[in-house]
């Protein structure tokens, strides 16, 4: 409780131009709750995590800047690096990241993917929902407690900014005896054995007006390299490897280690019942921890990463190198080509089972979300590009993309509309006319609205994510901000024909869809198969405004809903956070 109270005091003074400094909350003789008792250490937050040691205050300075790489390819970087600097901390450390935007004519923000922002929902990094965007030349301080161990990563909230290079790994460690699967491995060297996979593009996506989700990347990279990432091991031991799919587009990855089966021990930072696999499939934003035993002949072995979806045909490699092996010939020969048919077992996260049993839920609310593409219902004459001030009478607004013959992906027939002010911080300033309740979207006449699902703390709901497939043959990946979900079921129509709500209701009523109510995997990122459903159980245990979004679906019109859980944020905190000034998101300006 003391940590929580102190963290709130710290968060209340986050603004770079705030009324008080973080330094004013440093430990004193009378306040030693955050004292660092690890005498003689190098003061780095990347360290072995131990019991009975007070948490550290881990401060990072990030500058997001454009850069031209040696090969002439433009990119965005964090401290001139892509991926950005890895963050390695221990459980209960306070993480403070000062982000400075040095990208001209661009607003940015940073999302901490998978991190449960308990008590700090304004640190989630979603512009116009939890914060104001970081304007060019400005600084925003993120500060939160690393409250759960596991593998995470950070990335720019913008799909284009993330694709251009703004992403990096984020690992929260804990004392080894607390790790439920520590008996399965000898070494967890997360600084050296975390593999974060990104995609490279021929040109910057930042600033492009077209739908970047359709732009195909040129190649994949592991820790920023196509083939040069090396994992050094000793023969006869078990090693924990951490895989991260940091690609913002709909690009699943197939990952394997040559001649080395993998034991899966965690998915999306949550421990699972161990499963052995020849390869694992990671959807965009997913993470998976595996154990590899170095029980083969001493030598060098390829870690293969193969792209699917928009990345089909692309690949990247790393090297697993036994101690003393000369890998020169290995580089000259290159990896042999393998396909999914080469593997006997391929496992993805939603097939796994959690270590802990789920509590029985007597009363739960079911919410159906229809995911499909729809044709425009509007004519060119409906589109009004004229600028209007707030003092002028409002007219209906229809985005130009809806005037084309192309179908647009939507949830319950609507696209998400970002508000004119951060909803979490100043909900009363958001015009009620732009809001629509989930399930009642038909009452809103315009094609976009702020789609809100209002819940109470500890209210249990089951979200039926239904990729109906009447107008699309694509699968989609959704990410839940702020709080993990239990994946109850994943089902795809075996007849490969579209499905409707009536079809799903009947299947559920007849128990024709296999459910895992006992040990559902706990995840923050899930995929929804085409002409199929994914059912997730969600129980908000703390307040906030949380997006459930399909970031990779489209960058022209957002595909998301907002889950709103009551929370009272002190005025002191709101006043200390940077204000938006005259900023308005593009769709709000035109509206």
């Amino acid at each position: 409780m003391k940590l929580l109270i102190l963290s709130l005091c710290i968060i209340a003074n986050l603004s770079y131009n705030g009324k008080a400094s973080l330094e004013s909350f440093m430990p004193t003789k009378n306040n030693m709750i955050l004292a660092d008792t690890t005498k003689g250490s190098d003061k780095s937050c990347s360290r072995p995590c131990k019991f009975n040691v007070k948490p550290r205050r881990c401060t990072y300075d990030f500058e997001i800047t454009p850069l031209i790489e040696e090969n002439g390819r433009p990119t965005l970087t964090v401290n001139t690096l892509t991926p950005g600097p890895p963050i390695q901390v221990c459980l209960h450390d306070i993480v403070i990241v000062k982000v400075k935007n040095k990208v001209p004519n661009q607003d940015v923000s940073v999302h901490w993917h998978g991190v449960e922002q308990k008590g700090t929902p304004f640190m989630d990094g979603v512009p116009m929902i939890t914060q104001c965007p970081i304007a060019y030349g400005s600084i925003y301080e993120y500060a939160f407690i690393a409250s759960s161990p596991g593998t995470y990563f950070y990335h720019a909230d913008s799909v284009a900014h993330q694709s251009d290079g703004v992403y990096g790994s984020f690992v929260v460690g804990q004392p080894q005896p607390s790790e439920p699967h520590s008996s399965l491995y000898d070494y967890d060297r997360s600084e050296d054995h975390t593999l974060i996979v990104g995609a490279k593009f021929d040109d910057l996506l930042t600033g492009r007006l077209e739908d970047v989700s359709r732009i195909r990347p040129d190649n994949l990279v592991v820790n920023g390299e196509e083939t040069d990432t090396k994992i050094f091991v000793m023969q006869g031991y078990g090693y924990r490897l951490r895989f991260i799919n940091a690609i913002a587009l709909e690009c699943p990855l197939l990952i394997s280690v040559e001649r080395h089966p993998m034991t899966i021990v965690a998915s999306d930072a949550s421990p699972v019942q161990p499963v052995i696999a020849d390869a694992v499939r990671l959807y965009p934003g997913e993470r998976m921890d595996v154990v590899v035993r170095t029980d083969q002949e001493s030598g060098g072995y390829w870690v293969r990463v193969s792209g699917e979806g928009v990345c089909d045909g692309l690949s990247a490699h790393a090297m697993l190198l036994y101690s003393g092996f000369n890998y020169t010939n290995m580089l000259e020969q290159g990896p042999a080509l393998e396909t999914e048919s080469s593997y006997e077992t391929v496992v993805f996260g939603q097939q796994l089972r959690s270590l802990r049993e789920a509590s029985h839920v007597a009363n739960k609310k079911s919410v159906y979300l229809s995911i499909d593409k729809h044709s425009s219902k509007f004519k060119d004459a409906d589109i009004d590009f004229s600028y209007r001030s707030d003092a002028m009478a409002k007219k209906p607004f229809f985005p130009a993309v809806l005037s084309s013959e192309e179908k647009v992906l939507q949830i319950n027939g609507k696209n998400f509309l970002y508000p004119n002010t951060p909803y979490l911080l100043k909900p009363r300033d958001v015009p009620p006319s732009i809001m629509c309740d989930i399930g009642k979207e038909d009452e809103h006449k315009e094609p976009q609205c702020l789609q809100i699902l209002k819940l109470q703390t500890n209210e249990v709901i089951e979200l039926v994510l239904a990729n109906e497939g009447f107008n699309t043959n694509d699968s989609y990946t959704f990410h839940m901000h702020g709080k993990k979900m239990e994946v109850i079921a994943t089902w795809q129509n075996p007849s490969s024909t579209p499905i409707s709500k009536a079809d799903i209701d009947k299947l559920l009523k007849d128990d024709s869809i296999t459910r895992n109510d006992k040990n559902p995997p706990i995840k923050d990122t899930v995929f929804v198969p085409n002409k199929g459903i994914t059912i997730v159980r969600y129980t908000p245990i703390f307040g906030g405004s949380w997006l459930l979004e399909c970031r990779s679906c489209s960058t022209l019109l957002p595909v998301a809903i907002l889950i709103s859980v009551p929370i009272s944020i002190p005025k002191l905190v709101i006043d200390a956070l940077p204000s938006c000034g005259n900023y308005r998101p593009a769709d709000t300006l035109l509206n």
Side-chain angles (χ1 to χ4, degrees):
M1 180 58 71
K2 288 183 179 180
L3 277 174
L4 180 58
I5 294 172
L6 183 56
S7 69
L8 286 174
C9 292
I10 292 175
I11 302 306
N13 296 273
L14 297 177
S15 173
Y16 184 66
N17 299 312
K19 299 175 182 177
S21 166
L22 279 167
E23 302 304 322
S24 62
F25 291 96
M26 287 290 289
T28 65
K29 291 181 179 180
N30 298 323
N31 176 20
M32 295 300 292
I33 190 169
L34 294 181
D36 182 2
T37 59
T38 53
K39 303 298 183 182
S41 73
D42 62 359
K43 302 301 179 184
S44 168
C45 281
S46 176
R47 66 200 191 274
C49 301
K50 301 178 180 179
F51 291 112
N52 301 320
V53 174
K54 297 296 177 67
R56 291 186 182 177
R57 180 175 174 270
C58 306
T59 302
Y60 305 85
D61 291 291
F62 282 4
E63 284 192 352
I64 300 176
T65 57
L67 188 72
I68 302 297
E69 297 180 326
E70 292 182 359
N71 59 6
R73 188 196 302 260
T75 187
L76 296 184
T77 65
V78 182
N79 297 353
T80 71
L81 300 173
T82 177
I87 295 178
Q88 306 275 339
V89 299
C90 289
L91 186 63
H92 304 310
D93 281 349
I94 292 180
V95 181
I96 301 170
V97 185
K98 302 176 183 179
V99 178
K100 183 172 185 178
N101 176 15
K102 298 184 71 174
V103 185
N105 302 316
Q106 295 287 319
D107 299 305
V108 303
S109 68
V110 176
H111 172 56
W112 312 93
H113 196 103
V115 175
E116 295 188 348
Q117 297 287 356
K118 300 177 181 178
T120 51
F122 31 83
M123 293 294 121
D124 193 43
V126 184
M128 307 316 289
I129 298 296
T130 65
Q131 70 170 84
C132 298
I134 310 172
Y136 172 64
S138 298
I139 293 177
Y140 192 99
E141 275 189 33
Y142 294 93
F144 51 88
I145 295 176
S147 58
S148 299
T151 305
Y152 307 92
F153 72 111
Y154 62 86
H155 58 77
D157 181 77
S158 162
V159 169
H161 293 159
Q162 180 182 346
S163 299
D164 286 338
V166 184
Y167 65 92
S169 63
F170 179 20
V171 175
V172 180
Q174 64 178 335
Q176 188 175 14
S178 298
E179 288 283 356
H181 296 307
S182 61
S183 62
L184 298 179
Y185 56 89
D186 303 288
Y187 296 102
D188 178 9
R189 296 172 175 168
S190 54
E191 313 88 28
D192 304 315
H193 294 170
T194 297
L195 304 184
I196 184 166
V197 183
K200 288 284 189 178
F201 297 81
D202 185 52
D203 199 2
L204 280 179
L205 303 189
T206 298
R208 288 200 179 190
L209 297 178
E210 67 264 43
D211 186 351
V212 300
S213 66
R214 300 183 179 181
I215 299 176
R216 178 181 168 84
D218 295 321
N219 58 302
L220 303 178
V221 290
V222 179
N223 294 354
E225 305 287 346
E226 290 187 53
T227 57
D228 291 345
T229 297
K230 303 172 185 66
I231 303 171
F232 293 101
V233 296
M234 297 181 292
Q235 191 175 27
Y237 294 94
Y239 291 86
R240 181 171 183 159
L241 308 182
R242 299 170 186 263
F243 299 146
I244 303 171
N245 183 342
I247 302 173
L249 305 184
E250 200 59 48
C251 176
L253 300 173
L254 199 65
I255 304 178
S256 65
V257 182
E258 183 182 14
R259 292 175 57 184
H260 288 75
M262 297 175 286
T263 302
I264 303 168
V265 296
S267 176
D268 286 1
S270 295
V272 298
Q273 297 178 18
V275 173
I276 298 176
D278 296 315
V280 297
R281 178 174 283 110
L282 264 68
Y283 290 87
E286 278 194 299
R287 294 88 62 208
M288 194 172 286
D289 295 15
V290 305
V291 172
V292 171
R293 295 210 66 83
T294 54
D295 53 7
Q296 299 297 311
E297 180 183 352
S298 182
Y301 301 89
W302 289 105
V303 179
R304 295 183 173 88
V305 180
S306 302
E308 300 175 344
V310 72
C311 297
D312 188 36
L314 301 180
S315 63
H317 299 82
M319 291 181 281
L320 182 77
L321 301 173
Y322 283 44
S323 178
F325 175 71
N326 187 335
Y327 54 86
T328 304
N329 290 337
M330 184 178 175
L331 280 174
E332 292 176 352
Q333 295 175 1
L337 180 65
E338 285 196 12
T339 62
E340 183 176 350
S341 59
S342 307
Y343 309 118
E344 291 186 9
T345 54
V346 178
V347 175
F348 66 94
Q350 286 160 232
Q351 295 174 309
L352 302 170
R353 292 182 173 272
S354 174
L355 266 188
R356 66 174 179 83
E357 290 191 6
S359 303
H360 174 71
V361 179
N363 298 313
K364 56 182 179 291
K365 176 182 177 183
S366 181
V367 177
Y368 186 88
L369 300 178
S370 166
I371 305 163
D372 209 343
K373 289 186 176 181
H374 298 97
S375 300
S376 169
K377 301 177 183 177
F378 313 104
K379 303 176 183 178
D380 287 344
D382 294 324
I383 302 171
D384 187 348
F385 292 100
S386 62
Y387 174 79
R388 297 180 299 279
S389 71
D390 292 340
M392 297 177 65
K394 291 197 60 154
K395 296 180 181 180
F397 164 71
F398 306 106
V401 66
L402 293 178
S403 68
S404 66
E405 297 180 358
E406 190 174 351
K407 294 179 173 64
V408 177
L409 190 70
Q410 298 177 322
I411 295 177
N412 289 354
K414 297 290 182 184
N415 286 104
F416 189 78
L417 179 67
Y418 283 91
N420 60 322
T421 191
Y423 180 87
L424 173 70
L425 305 178
K426 298 183 178 181
R428 295 181 180 178
D429 292 347
V430 178
S433 59
I434 74 167
M435 302 181 193
C436 59
D437 292 333
I438 295 297
K440 298 180 180 180
E441 286 91 348
D442 289 343
E443 299 176 5
H444 193 91
K445 295 181 180 180
E446 297 189 25
Q448 285 182 278
C449 60
L450 178 57
Q451 294 168 275
I452 301 179
L453 178 60
K454 296 179 180 178
L455 300 178
Q456 298 299 316
T457 305
N458 295 320
E459 180 180 1
V460 182
I461 63 164
E462 284 192 357
L463 295 170
V464 181
L465 306 176
N467 187 355
E468 295 178 341
F470 287 96
N471 299 301
T472 175
N473 291 314
D474 297 326
S475 297
Y476 301 109
T477 303
F478 281 77
H479 171 56
M480 177 71 81
H481 289 237
K483 177 73 173 64
K484 290 183 171 62
M485 312 166 285
E486 296 174 324
V487 184
I488 302 299
T490 303
W491 174 87
Q492 188 170 24
N493 193 349
S495 65
S496 299
T497 56
I499 55 172
S500 66
K501 185 176 185 302
D503 298 329
I504 298 301
D505 288 343
K506 186 176 187 306
L507 288 167
L508 293 174
K509 183 178 180 181
D510 296 341
D511 291 328
S512 299
I513 295 176
T514 302
R515 294 171 57 96
N516 178 8
D517 289 287
K518 185 177 180 180
N519 298 96
I522 302 170
K523 296 179 60 60
D524 53 69
T525 304
V526 298
F527 98 103
V528 187
N530 180 251
K531 299 171 179 60
I533 66 170
T534 293
I535 302 175
V536 296
R537 185 177 296 159
Y538 180 80
T539 308
I541 59 174
F542 44 83
S545 298
W546 313 111
L547 273 190
L548 171 64
E549 62 171 340
C550 182
R551 299 184 68 248
S552 58
C553 291
S554 172
T555 55
L556 290 179
L557 291 177
V559 180
I561 68 169
L562 180 65
I563 297 179
S564 178
V565 185
I567 185 173
S568 178
I569 301 176
K571 186 176 184 299
L572 176 65
V573 174
I574 296 175
D575 291 343
L577 294 169
S579 64
C580 296
N582 294 325
Y583 177 86
R584 294 290 186 274
D587 49 10
T588 302
L589 265 180
L590 293 174
N591 200 7

